Amino acid sequence: MTRNRSKWNHPVSTLFLGVAVGALVGILFAPKSGEETRDDVAGAVNDGIDEMRARATKAARTARRFASEARERLEDAVDAGSEAYRESLRSAD
């Protein structure tokens, strides 16, 4: 038995449709003018963009610090390995 279901019967689709309708109704019946609403939306978007830039800058700084520390550890390991190799050559003589 196969059930033939429309994609609109899916709960997630219904949720998104409800959110979209709710947002539209909220904007239409908002006590602010269209220009004020657009300014508020633009401000919120700009605030979100600024927050994302700040987080990206912080993440980049953290990644650079991590890479620098990893490079230092690798250099220390290479130096220690080279020294151990030279020591083994000296002791073999």
Side-chain angles (χ1 to χ4, degrees):
M1 236 187 239
T2 303
R3 291 179 67 187
N4 191 7
R5 293 178 61 184
S6 168
K7 66 180 178 179
W8 290 106
N9 290 337
H10 194 275
V12 175
S13 298
T14 305
L15 173 69
F16 285 129
L17 180 62
V19 168
V21 169
L24 180 62
V25 169
I27 290 171
L28 290 176
F29 289 103
K32 295 181 180 181
S33 70
E35 185 175 343
E36 290 174 320
T37 301
R38 285 189 297 275
D39 289 343
D40 288 348
V41 170
V45 168
N46 286 332
D47 290 346
I49 290 171
D50 291 342
E51 178 68 23
M52 288 174 59
R53 282 184 181 151
R55 288 182 183 205
T57 300
K58 184 177 178 182
R61 193 176 320 122
T62 301
R64 281 192 298 272
R65 186 172 43 245
F66 177 78
S68 177
E69 290 173 4
R71 185 173 32 256
E72 287 175 12
R73 288 181 184 165
L74 180 62
E75 288 171 356
D76 291 345
V78 167
D79 290 343
S82 296
E83 184 60 32
Y85 177 72
R86 284 196 280 305
E87 292 270 335
S88 70
L89 289 178
R90 278 185 237 142
S91 64
D93 289 336

